[in-house]
């Protein structure tokens, strides 16, 4: 059953246009800078759980308003990733390419944000500031659909497993080393962020759906398997996210907002653009993604 069949009923305040049959929706008629109505906020939370990634066009968000919008879904004030912060805003990250330091290569593999932490964010809100004339799209893939499309015998097996996650295989080591004082920054990041174990299959606390929780950017090893066995199984599991039917691809416009459920999805940027690209990112709910550890 697609989410088009499952959802769309019972929304009083949201106009929802499904994006793809298995993931994503564009939400019309909502001004995220003034989303104070409680029914609206409840429906936004429901839509995020149901559609996994929501797109909003033509928004007008100051950094304060972006933080307020994030608060609809969770607390945005906890520790973050390694991106530079917007001046004066410790919780707003700048994902910037094309001028000075370039972050074109740190998000160009499928990943769930910050799974190298034991408390990854519940979700993320990304706001398009400077958008290339063409290219620089972002793709999302549904980790619940990725799980659903495994054969039942493999589902049963992978549910018994745990995997290690680390920022080491990602673009971050090179990004650190390219900075002034890079070796010290890299050593500091390693010391503060030892690899962590997560279950390979998690359960979404709102929808109860099973999530395939491994990603090629941060998952390094399946606990208890030989290296070759682990590599082979991870390649097979990562391939689930390459299936076009589980994906949605966003063509950014200036002032587009994307909000995703960071438990139920992976995403990646497409590094095919030239020139400047700037997105403001706020992650939220770093204390609450999987309240029962599921
Ligand atoms: C991210 O990984 O949060 C950024 C995605 C992008 O740059 O499109």
């Amino acid at each position: 059953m697609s989410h088009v069949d499952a959802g769309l009923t019972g929304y009083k305040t949201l106009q929802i246009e499904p994006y793809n049959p298995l993931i994503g929706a564009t939400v019309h008629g909502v001004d995220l800078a003034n989303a104070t109505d409680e029914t609206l906020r409840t429906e936004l939370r429901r839509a995020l759980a149901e559609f996994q990634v929501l797109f909003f066009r033509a928004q007008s968000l100051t950094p304060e308003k972006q933080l307020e919008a994030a608060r609809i879904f969770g607390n945005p004030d906890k520790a973050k990733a390694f991106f530079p912060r917007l001046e004066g805003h410790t919780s707003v990250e700048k994902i910037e390419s094309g001028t000075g330091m370039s972050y074109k290569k740190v998000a160009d593999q499928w990943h769930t944000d910050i799974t190298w932490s034991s408390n990854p964010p519940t979700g993320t809100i990304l706001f398009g500031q400077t958008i290339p004339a063409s290219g620089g799209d972002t793709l999302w893939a549904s980790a619940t659909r990725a799980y659903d499309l495994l054969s039942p015998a493999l589902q049963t097996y992978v549910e018994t497993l745990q995997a290690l996650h680390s920022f080491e295989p990602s673009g971050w080591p090179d990004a650190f080393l390219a900075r002034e004082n890079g070796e010290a920054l890299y050593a500091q990041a390693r010391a503060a962020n030892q690899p962590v174990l997560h279950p390979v299959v998690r359960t979404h606390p709102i929808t109860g759906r099973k999530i395939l929780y491994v990603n090629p950017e941060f998952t390094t090893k399946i606990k208890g398997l030989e290296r070759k066995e682990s590599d082979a199984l991870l390649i097979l599991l990562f391939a689930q996210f390459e299936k076009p039917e589980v994906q949605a691809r966003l063509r950014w416009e200036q002032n587009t907002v994307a909000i995703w459920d960071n438990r139920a999805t992976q995403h990646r940027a497409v590094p095919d653009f030239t020139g400047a690209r700037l997105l403001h990112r706020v992650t939220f709910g770093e204390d609450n993604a999987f309240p029962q550890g599921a």
Side-chain angles (χ1 to χ4, degrees), residues 95 107 111 113 126 137-138 252 260 267-269 277 279 281:
I95 300 183
H111 63 285
D113 283 336
L126 207 52
D137 295 357
T138 305
W252 287 96
W260 64 92
H267 59 282
R268 54 161 298 170
R277 178 179 186 266
L279 306 167
R281 189 175 92 154

Side-chain angles (χ1 to χ4, degrees), residues 238-258:
F238 296 158
Q240 291 298 99
F241 297 90
E242 302 289 349
K243 294 181 173 169
E245 66 269 37
V246 307
Q247 298 177 0
R249 179 172 181 148
L250 176 69
R251 172 82 198 108
W252 287 96
E253 291 165 6
Q254 195 184 11
N255 298 328
T256 295
V257 168

Side-chain angles (χ1 to χ4, degrees), residues 80-247:
K80 303 291 167 190
F82 305 121
F83 289 107
R85 304 300 192 270
L86 190 64
E87 297 70 26
H89 294 279
T90 50
S91 297
V92 182
E93 296 169 309
K94 281 195 300 186
I95 300 183
E96 185 165 29
S97 299
T99 51
M101 175 57 72
S102 181
Y103 289 95
K104 200 166 166 176
K105 287 288 179 188
V106 294
D108 67 340
Q109 284 196 73
W110 287 111
H111 63 285
T112 296
D113 283 336
I114 322 184
T115 62
W116 40 264
S117 156
S118 47
N119 293 312
T122 298
T124 305
I125 168 167
L126 207 52
F127 182 38
Q129 300 282 299
T130 307
I131 305 303
S134 70
D137 295 357
T138 305
L139 285 86
W140 285 263
S142 167
T144 59
R145 301 298 182 178
Y147 170 85
D148 293 346
L149 294 176
L150 290 171
S151 62
L154 193 52
Q155 287 176 340
T156 304
Y157 174 57
V158 295
E159 276 183 46
T160 64
L161 301 173
Q162 291 186 303
L164 276 169
H165 294 239
S166 156
F167 73 85
E168 292 285 351
S170 72
W172 280 113
D174 278 347
F176 282 122
L177 294 171
R179 289 184 195 172
E180 204 182 320
N181 201 22
E183 283 186 36
L185 289 171
Y186 180 28
Q188 211 178 333
R190 292 175 83 166
N193 297 284
Q194 296 296 307
V196 293
L197 274 174
H198 293 294
V200 168
V201 177
R202 310 200 74 152
T203 303
H204 195 284
I206 299 174
T207 64
R209 294 174 64 190
K210 298 272 176 66
I211 296 163
L212 185 56
Y213 203 70
V214 288
N215 69 83
E217 188 151 28
F218 301 132
T219 310
T220 54
K221 174 81 175 53
I222 297 194
K223 183 183 165 192
L225 296 193
E226 295 293 330
R227 167 56 65 189
K228 281 188 177 164
E229 294 169 336
S230 168
D231 286 351
L233 181 54
L234 283 175
I235 285 170
L236 190 150
L237 297 179
F238 296 158
Q240 291 298 99
F241 297 90
E242 302 289 349
K243 294 181 173 169
E245 66 269 37
V246 307
Q247 298 177 0

